[in-house]
Amino acid sequence: MRSVEEQLAIIADAAVTPEPVRVAISDSLGLRSAEEVRGDRQVPGFNQAAIDGYAVRAVDLVPRDAKGAPADDRPEDQRPPEPLPDEDYEPDRRSDREHRKLAELPVVGDVGAGSHRPLRLQPNQAVRVETGAPVPTLSDAIIPEAWVERHGRRIRPLFPVKSGDFIHRAGTDVLEGDVIVSEGTVIGPAHIGLLAAVGRSKVLVYPRPRVAVMSIGQELIDSDRTPGRGQVFDVNSYSLAAAAEEAGADAHRVGVIAGEPRRLQEIMEGQILRSEIIVIAGAVGGSAARRMRDIVSNLGDIEYTRVAMHPGSTQGFGLLGPNKVPTFLLPSNPVGSLIIFETMIRPLIQYEAGRRGGRRRIIQARALHGVSSMPGRRGFIRGQLMRDRGTDEYLVDPLGASAGAPQHLLGSFAEANCLIHVPEDVVGIAPGDVVDVLFLSNRA
């Protein structure tokens, strides 16, 4: 019997990385970049107003005395009000000792966002600007509208500003030549924003691995048909395709495959040409599995083995076709198939997608009830993970925890948000023991 680690090592060696493709940046979310992207322009490309207000020279707003000289002895004053309730751009706070009697400035122009008209500010002048508008030449600060009194075409500043206040300087986000996406980076929303900011509409990425999922079994029918005596609905192709999508693959649910051996081989050959991974449920055990074994033996090398785990010990794995596509043969039991997918197939999808650290999070939790496990096999017990509000400790309630309990019940798996890992040399866990727990999806 092969250990879980040995089987995972064999599977990892068979990983097939898809060829890079160039896609629109709007389609690149979650994909791994196949290139290093450098900005060929600075962001922002020009000095931008960070708020609606007036472009000024900060030196023109220095408090002055009655003779026009800079005021050294200034009375106590209030702090400036917040420019906008939702504005998160905040300049350096002014001193409480500021003089309100600043010189009036004439408003000599108006610049809106997107304006192409160059404007040069002269000393002791102001220009009204909108958020995002280019800052006039020689202006080094924006005074918010809430900080001025306006009288016709003139404003009286109530508070001074410092050079750089309320201005997004050119190049403060990205300088020309900066690396904005490194090769191998999994692209997130901020990366897409940066790509758009430097004018990139497409990016070279590794596509999601294509996973073909199918079920085989004389008793199986699709969910849009009415089952007759001895027939059951196909469950595996739906649940496994959903698991592949959740793992980051481009899943294709082939559904139930049936027919003569030649027809089955044609189906398999077609999927080999268009897939990086193939998953066949119901191909371990029974007459249907024997037929599938004969078919796949014509297409490549498949090894049937027993892995030291439960459920899902019996499974098949091999490489099919000229491209040596990794192919998994799983039992018909939906729970066993999902456990094998979680432990064997999901890591391969993550590896092929370039997510070397894409394993699910494992934490420690205290068991609320006892757990039985099969000797010599690693147990993957479904559970409900929760947290004690008082102690902030993780707690886990095992589902179907007894070694003799039915392992085929999909209902308890649907209730689970984690898997309890029971080591091979442990046959029982008592209530209160600390166990390793693996999160499932985002349900924890």
Side-chain angles (χ1 to χ4, degrees):
M1 188 176 292
R2 186 175 291 158
S3 71
V4 172
E5 284 74 17
E6 290 171 339
Q7 184 73 354
L8 281 171
I10 293 172
I11 292 170
D13 287 341
V16 178
T17 302
E19 288 296 319
V21 295
R22 195 167 296 279
V23 302
I25 60 173
S26 56
D27 297 327
S28 67
L29 181 65
L31 301 180
R32 183 167 58 102
S33 176
E35 65 174 329
E36 180 183 81
V37 181
R38 292 180 177 269
D40 57 3
R41 66 191 67 190
Q42 61 183 3
V43 179
F46 52 89
N47 291 343
Q48 288 181 322
I51 194 172
D52 289 353
Y54 297 88
V56 296
R57 299 192 319 156
V59 68
D60 293 336
L61 271 66
V62 174
R64 299 181 181 277
D65 59 21
K67 297 181 180 180
D72 295 324
D73 185 18
R74 288 167 285 185
E76 292 292 332
D77 203 355
Q78 299 177 353
R79 289 185 182 273
E82 292 295 333
L84 287 175
D86 58 349
E87 179 59 58
D88 58 4
Y89 182 92
E90 186 175 351
D92 293 338
R93 287 292 191 180
R94 303 285 79 81
S95 168
D96 284 341
R97 297 173 59 83
E98 299 288 8
H99 203 287
R100 282 185 180 270
K101 294 182 179 180
L102 303 175
E104 286 190 352
L105 300 176
V107 179
V108 298
D110 197 319
V111 181
S115 173
H116 300 288
R117 181 171 60 90
L119 191 62
R120 182 183 181 89
L121 190 71
Q122 298 299 324
N124 297 307
Q125 290 181 345
V127 172
R128 190 184 182 282
V129 292
E130 293 181 351
T131 303
V135 176
T137 304
L138 297 186
S139 172
D140 64 349
I142 306 296
I143 183 168
E145 287 186 337
W147 292 11
V148 303
E149 292 177 349
R150 179 149 184 174
H151 306 284
R153 295 296 297 174
R154 302 182 71 83
I155 61 168
R156 179 183 293 279
L158 303 178
F159 305 96
V161 289
K162 289 183 179 179
S163 181
D165 279 356
F166 297 107
I167 289 180
H168 294 312
R169 294 287 187 183
T172 52
D173 201 349
V174 177
L175 291 173
E176 185 175 349
D178 281 354
V179 175
I180 60 173
V181 178
S182 300
E183 184 177 358
T185 297
V186 176
I187 297 176
H191 299 110
I192 294 175
L194 280 171
L195 289 167
V198 299
R200 285 289 296 265
S201 62
K202 294 187 176 181
V203 61
L204 191 67
V205 297
Y206 294 102
R208 293 178 175 85
R210 296 169 298 178
V211 179
V213 181
M214 60 196 82
S215 296
I216 186 169
Q218 298 285 3
E219 78 283 9
L220 298 178
I221 62 170
D222 213 338
S223 58
D224 58 355
R225 297 176 55 190
T226 302
R229 183 177 179 81
Q231 293 182 317
V232 296
F233 291 122
D234 169 36
V235 172
N236 282 314
S237 70
Y238 285 97
S239 61
L240 293 170
E245 288 281 354
E246 191 269 336
D250 180 8
H252 172 53
R253 192 189 73 84
V254 181
V256 180
I257 58 174
E260 295 301 316
R262 178 175 295 182
R263 173 57 181 158
L264 292 178
Q265 183 164 330
E266 289 176 353
I267 294 174
M268 289 298 303
E269 289 172 343
Q271 298 307 317
I272 288 171
L273 293 175
R274 62 174 62 98
S275 306
E276 278 79 44
I277 299 173
I278 295 176
V279 180
I280 310 172
V284 174
S287 59
R290 287 191 293 272
R291 288 196 300 275
M292 181 56 66
R293 182 179 303 184
D294 293 338
I295 292 167
V296 297
S297 65
N298 297 327
L299 302 174
D301 298 322
I302 293 288
E303 180 187 28
Y304 290 81
T305 188
R306 294 179 69 84
V307 181
M309 58 182 285
H310 77 92
S313 173
T314 304
Q315 52 191 268
F317 176 74
L319 307 176
L320 300 186
N323 294 330
K324 299 192 178 301
V325 177
T327 302
F328 295 84
L329 307 183
L330 309 185
S332 58
N333 173 10
V335 171
S337 291
L338 282 173
I339 293 293
I340 295 173
F341 185 96
E342 182 63 37
T343 56
M344 302 294 173
I345 305 176
R346 189 178 193 277
L348 179 61
I349 292 174
Q350 296 286 297
Y351 192 86
E352 290 194 355
R355 297 172 181 263
R356 300 297 188 267
R359 295 290 184 90
R360 293 194 191 271
R361 181 185 175 195
I362 295 179
I363 64 169
Q364 290 189 319
R366 193 171 301 279
L368 295 178
H369 300 95
V371 175
S372 298
S373 186
M374 299 180 67
R377 299 189 190 182
R378 183 176 305 177
F380 296 92
I381 309 299
R382 290 148 279 168
Q384 287 184 330
L385 186 67
M386 60 200 79
R387 205 160 193 173
D388 189 301
R389 293 183 178 179
T391 64
D392 214 29
E393 179 183 31
Y394 281 109
L395 306 172
V396 62
D397 185 11
L399 303 172
S402 172
Q407 297 295 316
H408 66 283
L409 301 180
L410 195 59
S412 62
F413 207 148
E415 296 176 3
N417 61 10
C418 68
L419 290 176
I420 303 169
H421 285 192
V422 183
E424 292 86 343
D425 58 349
V426 176
V427 296
I429 292 175
D433 285 352
V434 175
V435 294
D436 287 336
V437 173
L438 178 144
F439 279 106
L440 289 179
S441 189
N442 295 319
R443 296 177 287 167

